[in-house]
Every structure is written in structure tokens, then in C-alpha cells.
């Protein structure tokens, strides 16, 4: 629990380019957790996400399904759309994606559709996870894109946020 | 080809309520095909979708991925978001969904997330279809919602639009 299941320093190659400017995987996930806390503060299921390109944060967001009345307003979708708007392209090659909860089918499908380059998530989702739990769609050779997945980075903190949130609603 | 593979008059129970006001499945798919033609006219892959609730069209749309620079701007996503905005709720119980191409993982996941009541699609998608071809996620009992799926309604016309579009781009 709480340790990545694949690799230990996922940004090492990027870090070599410019140590000062590059955000680390830990820093990116801490930002995603901060977004998840914002969601909880707004009465939303606490899930946060961050997009990183070229070692810089290009988009951050959190789940807004309830307040926006939008079934597609999961953290991942909002961050993908924000990153695409910033780049002016639906194709997000090179984007490294951090999210506090394992993406569902919709979000995993969107990550594939956007051609993101890597996915790092914190907590697994036993009820809807599509990136290793119920499905493993990011590594399906039949699809036109595959995404390397790293799971478990700061899993304990992400899970604690979720369980505290749901305990408070009971 | 071109015939529904399940059932033959999907709106018969709805039709009994008010024959004049209710849109038929054929009429809804014709509207979706019209949307697909609009997409082609805009240089977008021709896919169109229509949402029907209570026998009335509540949302229509077509693929806008290129012009919007948004990886999530598939026809289905735009129609779901429009229908949710009209209802003021992410939960779209009772929504019947018509689309000219078999939904991908992202769109099928979004239909599940929105709790739509029925999916009717025209052409199968051998490369990315998640509702019967590569995956069959709408009828997965492990997920918290299932969606009855009807496929093949006006398949020939939907497929012809797509093949004409891609032939023109070669």
C-alpha cells in the first residue's frame, strides 16, 4: 500500500533535462490530491487530476459532477479538455497524467482517445476501475493506442480522502 | 445488414401513450444520420447522435473533435452533456440514445455514467466498438448500471457515410 507497483522514479529521464524546472511524479500527485481535497470541500466525490507536459503542469482539476450537473465532469475529463484547449489540439502526445483514483471506462477511454503518454494513479477502484481492476483497457493491443500505467503512488492518502468523504455522508 | 438485430419496434410501449407526439426509433436514427452528414460537411468523421426522453428529442449533436480541438467531443459526449444541461441533472434515467456508430470505450462509459436507459446504434465499429464488438461494457453485471443495446438500425446508411468520408480523404 502506498508504494508504486511499477518503477520508483518515473520522471528520472525528464528530470535529467532540467532538474529545477521539472515537476516530479510525487509533486504532481500531491497537486492531484490537493484538487481532490477541493472536490470534497465542494461536496463532490474527492478525485483530483493533473496533466504534465515537458515537466510542467499544464492542467489541474477535480470532479465536478454534482455542481455542474454533467455526467462527464469527472476530474480526468476536465483536465484533458483543459490541456487540449491549452495546446489547441485534441492530440495530447507527451502528456503525463496523474489522478488520485483509477479511471473508469469513460475516463480511460478519453485518455486513449487523447493519446496521452503515461497514466499514474493513486488508489484502485474496485467498483469501476478500468485500468487494472475490472478492465485493463490502457494496454489493449487491439486499440489504436496504448498507455503505460503506474498505480499505487500515494494510494493511502487518496483512499483515505475517499473513505472519509463517504463515511461523512452516511 | 440494415436491420435491427434485437426487436423490431423499440418504441412500441412509448408509442401507446401518445402516438402523435412520440418520435419513433426510425425517426430518431434519421435525425442522427442527418447530424452525421453535418459532421462530414464540416470535415469531421461523420457520426451523429440524438437523445430522446418521453418520446421527444431532447438533444442532438455530431462529432466535433477536429474543430473544437477537444478529444472528448464525440457526438455521444456532446449529446449527453446537452441532455444533462437541459434536465439540470447528471442522471439521465429514461433517456433513449441513438447514435450512428457503435460507441467507443469513452462514450459507452459516459452512457453508463449518465444511467441512460437504452442505446440504439447503427453501424458496428470493428476498430474501437465497446458495445458488442471489442468490448460489451453496457451489459457488464459488475458495473453499477446496465444498458440494453439494439444494433444495426439503418446500419447501411451509417456505414456508407463513413466509407464515403474516408475514401474522400485518401
Amino acid at each position: 500500500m502506498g508504494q508504486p507497483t511499477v518503477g520508483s522514479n518515473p520522471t528520472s529521464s525528464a528530470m535529467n533535462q532540467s532538474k529545477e524546472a521539472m515537476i516530479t511524479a510525487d509533486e504532481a500527485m500531491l497537486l492531484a490530491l490537493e484538487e481532490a481535497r477541493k472536490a470534497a470541500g465542494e461536496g463532490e466525490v474527492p478525485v483530483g487530476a493533473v496533466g504534465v507536459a515537458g515537466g510542467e503542469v499544464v492542467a489541474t482539476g477535480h470532479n465536478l459532477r454534482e455542481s455542474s450537473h454533467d455526467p462527464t465532469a469527472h476530474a480526468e475529463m476536465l483536465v484533458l479538455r483543459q490541456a487540449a484547449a491549452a495546446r489547441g489540439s485534441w492530440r495530447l502526445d507527451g502528456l503525463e497524467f496523474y489522478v488520485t483514483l483509477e479511471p473508469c471506462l469513460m475516463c480511460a477511454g478519453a485518455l486513449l482517445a487523447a493519446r496521452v503518454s503515461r497514466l499514474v494513479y493513486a488508489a484502485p477502484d474496485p467498483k469501476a476501475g478500468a485500468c487494472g481492476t475490472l478492465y485493463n483497457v490502457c494496454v489493449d493491443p487491439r486499440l489504436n493506442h496504448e498507455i503505460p500505467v503506474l498505480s499505487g503512488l500515494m494510494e493511502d492518502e487518496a483512499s483515505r480522502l475517499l473513505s472519509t468523504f463517504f463515511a461523512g455522508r452516511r
Side-chain angles (χ1 to χ4, degrees), chain A:
Chain A
M1 290 276 283
Q3 291 303 309
T5 55
V6 180
S8 60
N9 186 5
T11 54
S12 59
S13 62
M15 291 287 285
N16 291 337
Q17 293 167 38
S18 168
K19 193 164 184 176
E20 279 67 47
M22 297 285 178
I23 190 168
T24 66
D26 281 5
E27 288 165 346
M29 190 60 86
L30 283 171
L31 275 179
L33 285 163
E34 198 173 297
E35 287 291 329
R37 277 183 213 102
K38 286 185 202 168
E42 296 162 16
E44 302 276 358
V45 174
V47 181
V50 168
V52 172
E56 288 180 16
V57 173
V58 295
T60 61
H62 56 270
N63 178 34
L64 287 175
R65 187 181 66 166
E66 301 297 335
S67 61
S68 68
H69 308 303
D70 180 352
T72 76
H74 286 191
E76 297 94 318
M77 306 297 283
L78 300 175
V79 167
L80 278 176
R81 296 180 66 204
Q82 188 186 327
R87 191 183 289 196
S89 168
W90 60 261
R91 187 183 280 270
L92 295 173
D93 320 57
L95 192 77
E96 304 200 332
F97 203 92
Y98 296 83
V99 57
T100 60
L101 182 66
E102 182 183 359
C104 70
L105 283 166
M106 171 178 71
C107 294
L111 293 165
L112 288 164
R115 315 281 201 272
V116 309
S117 290
R118 198 169 65 127
L119 166 64
V120 183
Y121 69 82
D125 184 350
K127 291 190 179 167
C131 305
T133 299
L134 298 187
Y135 292 91
N136 205 358
V137 303
C138 288
V139 289
D140 181 344
R142 300 173 304 171
L143 301 175
N144 66 355
H145 184 64
E146 293 188 44
I147 305 172
V149 178
L150 171 76
S151 64
L153 182 65
M154 303 189 190
E155 173 183 339
D156 289 353
E157 177 61 9
S159 296
R160 199 189 56 75
L161 279 173
L162 286 159
S163 55
T164 302
F165 178 80
F166 286 111
R169 296 216 300 192
R170 266 182 221 116

